[in-house]
Amino acid sequence: VSDTGPLLHLSEAGSFDLLESAGQIFIPPSVGIEVKRYIPDWHSGPPAWIKIADLTDTNQNDAQTWQESGILDLGEADALALARQLHADWFLTDDTAARVMATSLGIEAHGSLGVLLWSARNLQYEEAEQRLNALAASSLWISSSVIAEAKLALNRLFGRTKE
């Protein structure tokens, strides 16, 4: 299950396709509406591997409570509630509060950078590095130290480091 962040940031970085390798992605309707504002190609509908799923009343109420309390925004709250409803393998978010909340609920959370590093094993080093640089240049804020750590991780993954 994903909120808007990873869909937007990976799209901006030319790496939207990496999400497909994670399997079927579910989003709540509110995320679908948000994404339409930011990703022009989305107006014709999401790719076949992204499914829009409605929340049950109980999960919708939880999402509304999280949003009204100021803990999460609408898309993050709905997506997290959907992840819990579907017993999702991963909750994809680039929002720190949503990640912390997911972890407190026992849901494994990853962000755009995590998706890119997870997918890097299927790429050539140069392409993985280019995608990392593009993600760093997207609207996602990533500290320079996190980018440096990600580059070290890529180097280790591709055997380009001296231990």
Side-chain angles (χ1 to χ4, degrees), residues 1 4 9 15 21 28 34 37 40 44 58 69 71 92 96 114 127 132 134 155:
V1 174
T4 304
H9 300 127
S15 293
S21 64
E34 285 181 354
R37 281 188 269 155
S44 60
T58 300
S69 68
I71 296 171
L92 302 177
T96 302
E127 182 182 1
L132 177 59
N155 286 334

Side-chain angles (χ1 to χ4, degrees), residues 4-156:
T4 304
L7 301 173
L8 172 63
H9 300 127
L10 289 167
S11 177
E12 290 173 343
S15 293
F16 190 75
D17 61 304
L18 297 180
L19 287 167
E20 185 176 11
S21 64
Q24 193 165 58
I25 306 288
F26 289 90
I27 61 171
S30 59
V31 169
I33 291 167
E34 285 181 354
V35 171
K36 279 183 184 179
R37 281 188 269 155
Y38 301 111
I39 302 176
D41 294 343
W42 199 270
H43 289 284
S44 60
W49 45 271
I50 295 182
K51 302 293 182 197
I52 298 175
D54 291 322
L55 290 167
T56 63
D57 289 342
T58 300
N59 286 298
Q60 183 65 59
N61 290 338
D62 288 344
Q64 186 174 353
T65 299
W66 298 333
Q67 183 189 5
E68 288 174 355
S69 68
I71 296 171
L72 302 174
D73 290 332
L74 175 63
E76 287 115 10
D78 285 355
L80 181 55
L82 184 61
R84 188 171 65 178
Q85 175 180 308
L86 297 177
H87 305 286
D89 293 327
W90 291 355
F91 171 57
L92 302 177
T93 184
D94 289 324
D95 182 81
T96 302
R99 187 182 303 237
V100 169
M101 184 82 168
T103 301
S104 75
L105 295 171
I107 299 170
E108 187 175 345
H110 297 280
S112 297
L113 182 57
V115 170
L116 191 147
L117 291 174
W118 177 80
S119 301
R121 71 192 190 298
N122 296 322
L123 306 172
Q124 297 296 317
Y125 174 81
E126 292 75 16
E127 182 182 1
E129 183 179 44
Q130 180 275 326
R131 287 177 185 243
L132 177 59
N133 291 335
L135 185 61
S138 75
S139 64
L140 174 64
W141 184 87
I142 307 175
S143 72
S144 58
S145 62
V146 169
I147 291 297
E149 287 179 41
K151 288 184 179 187
L152 285 174
L154 281 181
N155 286 334
R156 284 192 298 272

